[in-house]
Amino acid sequence: MAATTLLVTEVTTADGALEAAAKQWAEIRPGGDLFRSLEGSTLLRLTALTGVEALAGETELFEREFTELAPYVAGDFRRQVLTFVEAPKSTEDAVPQTRYVQLRHIEVPPAVFADYRTWREGTIFDVVRRAEEVEVFLAYHSLLSTEPGVMFVSGFDTTPERYGAVFSSAEYQEIVRQAGSAYIAGGERGLFTTIYERVTG
């Protein structure tokens, strides 16, 4: 089943160093789920945790990542801890084992969060359940993050173009419009999406 606690780590690599960074990161954390952004030079690692207390066991690896990846990265590591809420399309694995994943972030003010969860069941989740292009769709919420809010972790194996068509349709654009007027906070960072392609896993 999907991880109940998920550590999301991203880092931007130096020019021309993405492949070397990915190789080094895979040596530090063998067998993990590592992805590269389809735009830019960002690497993403999804790490399933047994609970927030498991973070204590990660700190030694944080130090190794910081030291051993230093020659290959252009910025510091961005980490957030997410807690599982529900799964419109679940998976037997801790994280999606698809070729691609997409992170869809929405910052929702606490005062409207309960209404938002009811609303998304009949809108976002309805579209996702009907879309064969979407193989996995997991809803998380930030536990520790500098970008708080909802995080959808979506997995797919079709082309990014076919997958993207699900969310660029007139039906889904109306959903985005409704969300923007009623539920999204945080300005331009209140809603963003990124697609990543698997490197290891």
Side-chain angles (χ1 to χ4, degrees), residues 13-193:
T13 61
D15 290 343
L18 189 143
E19 290 186 8
K23 181 179 179 180
Q24 184 63 35
W25 210 353
E27 290 180 6
I28 296 169
R29 290 179 180 266
D33 293 280
L34 184 62
F35 301 83
R36 61 182 296 170
S37 173
L38 295 190
E39 298 181 5
S41 55
T42 300
L43 287 173
L44 166 77
R45 178 169 290 279
L46 301 178
T47 305
L49 302 177
T50 55
V52 71
E53 65 279 356
L55 277 174
E58 296 288 316
T59 55
E60 182 177 339
L61 288 173
F62 289 174
E63 291 295 325
R64 283 194 63 193
E65 290 168 344
F66 191 85
T67 301
E68 297 180 27
L69 288 172
Y72 310 109
V73 300
D76 206 342
F77 295 84
R78 298 171 61 86
R79 294 186 176 92
Q80 53 184 319
V81 179
L82 309 176
T83 185
F84 179 80
V85 178
E86 55 192 326
K89 282 193 172 178
S90 192
T91 174
E92 295 180 358
D93 303 294
V95 301
Q97 294 301 299
T98 47
R99 177 176 177 179
Y100 299 98
V101 297
Q102 182 185 49
L103 300 186
R104 305 179 66 87
H105 170 269
I106 306 171
E107 184 177 347
V108 180
V112 297
F113 190 74
D115 288 343
Y116 165 75
R117 284 196 61 185
T118 300
W119 171 84
R120 76 184 185 184
E121 176 62 35
T123 53
I124 297 172
F125 292 176
D126 180 56
V127 169
V128 165
R129 290 188 178 106
R130 287 186 280 116
E132 64 179 15
E133 296 86 350
V134 183
E135 295 184 38
V136 179
F137 200 86
L138 312 172
Y140 286 86
H141 195 266
S142 60
L143 189 61
L144 298 170
S145 178
T146 57
E147 295 175 334
V150 172
M151 183 70 83
F152 297 131
V153 179
S154 182
F156 64 98
D157 283 316
T158 188
T159 64
E161 291 75 20
R162 282 196 64 202
Y163 172 84
V166 173
F167 300 98
S168 61
S169 67
E171 177 185 15
Y172 200 83
Q173 289 308 301
E174 172 59 20
I175 290 172
V176 172
R177 187 197 65 77
Q178 292 175 21
S181 62
Y183 301 115
I184 298 176
E188 63 182 33
R189 290 297 288 176
L191 171 62
F192 63 88
T193 65

